[in-house]
Amino acid sequence: GQQLNQSPQSMFIQEGEDVSMNCTSSSIFNTWLWYKQDPGEGPVLLIALYKAGELTSNGRLTAQFGITRKDSFLNISASIPSDVGIYFCAGTTSGTYKYIFGTGTRLKVLA
Amino acid sequence: GAVVSQHPSWVICKSGTSVKIECRSLDFQATTMFWYRQFPKQSLMLMATSNEGSKATYEQGVEKDKFLINHASLTLSTLTVTSAHPEDSSFYICSAREGFDNSPLHFGNGTRLTVT
């Protein structure tokens, strides 16, 4: 099935550093969601975005709905060890109710 | 709020047997639930959309006779893997949507299926 491209695929960062990741699509999206998945568990919703240009925060996390509606960004400030996991973006296009998931960004934090 | 419970969390079965996985929305009504499959180190692949009171809609390439979905109530959907084979071994995750078409999905904790 169709997938969204996420970048980077994986990253190692030092504790305390800021993290940025993005998600891109060839199609225009109406909704963007960001999830975090820990090993062996289901994804947990972090942030939901519904309007182009929207910038939303959830604690140390900030996500933006790209102006072109073909991308979204997630930033994590002052990373901590529990930020380790896989981050997925997901989105819906006009006329469909199904969410397409990104390829994932695997985050590893070095203490 | 928006809690989704999935059971069992893991199951081992012999080839040829069937396995049922339950997905419940605990504190909201879900007219639509989605079943995903995830292989190791890969993303979530949508298998089917489960609609309360009607037949499920399967994604291309997903065998509807192998993966039976029943959405009997607004809080329960089940996925039955029939005549399981080792290649069906995977992580199956359900999700539920509380409201309108683009409202967020809330996920269960997944079921690790191993077919021997």
Side-chain angles (χ1 to χ4, degrees):
Chain A
Q2 184 182 355
Q3 283 190 331
L4 302 172
N5 292 318
Q6 277 186 250
S7 179
Q9 268 192 329
S10 63
M11 55 195 311
F12 284 89
I13 60 170
Q14 292 283 344
E15 184 176 354
E17 286 184 350
D18 296 343
V19 175
S20 291
M21 60 188 80
N22 67 73
C23 191
T24 59
S25 168
S26 57
S27 306
I28 290 176
F29 276 61
N30 289 338
T31 306
W32 287 98
L33 306 177
W34 283 93
Y35 288 88
K36 178 176 182 278
Q37 185 180 28
D38 291 327
E41 299 184 11
V44 174
L45 180 68
L46 300 174
I47 293 177
L49 303 163
Y50 298 103
K51 290 171 55 177
E54 181 180 353
L55 186 70
T56 298
S57 293
N58 178 6
R60 294 179 295 107
L61 278 62
T62 302
Q64 183 163 25
F65 193 138
I67 291 292
T68 65
R69 296 172 64 191
K70 292 184 177 182
D71 54 12
S72 181
F73 308 89
L74 175 69
N75 295 314
I76 304 173
S77 62
S79 57
I80 59 178
S82 61
D83 289 335
V84 165
I86 306 174
Y87 291 81
F88 288 104
C89 62
T92 58
T93 56
S94 176
T96 179
Y97 52 83
K98 296 185 291 188
Y99 276 99
I100 299 167
F101 275 77
T103 48
T105 293
R106 192 177 296 266
L107 182 65
K108 299 183 182 182
V109 179
L110 303 172
Chain B
V3 178
V4 176
S5 174
Q6 190 172 338
H7 179 81
S9 56
W10 61 270
V11 58
I12 301 172
C13 70
K14 291 187 176 180
S15 191
T17 61
S18 295
V19 172
K20 180 185 282 187
I21 303 170
E22 291 189 349
C23 181
R24 294 179 184 274
S25 56
L26 297 186
D27 52 0
F28 66 100
Q29 294 185 327
T31 53
T32 306
M33 291 184 174
F34 301 87
W35 288 92
Y36 290 84
R37 184 173 181 175
Q38 187 177 34
F39 290 105
K41 297 188 178 181
Q42 293 192 22
S43 186
L44 285 76
M45 297 302 296
L46 180 64
M47 298 175 64
T49 303
S50 171
N51 299 299
E52 186 268 335
S54 64
K55 290 184 179 179
T57 304
Y58 290 82
E59 294 300 299
Q60 191 172 12
V62 178
E63 299 176 59
K64 61 181 181 181
D65 293 331
K66 166 168 272 300
F67 299 101
L68 299 179
I69 292 172
N70 187 343
H71 196 149
S73 74
L74 287 172
T75 60
L76 174 64
S77 176
T78 60
L79 168 69
T80 301
V81 183
T82 63
S83 186
H85 290 286
E87 57 265 31
D88 298 325
S89 299
S90 191
F91 192 53
Y92 294 88
I93 319 175
C94 73
S95 66
R97 186 174 59 209
E98 184 173 3
F100 46 90
D101 286 349
N102 62 342
S103 57
L105 302 182
H106 300 285
F107 285 86
N109 266 336
T111 297
R112 172 75 57 193
L113 171 63
T114 302
V115 185
T116 61

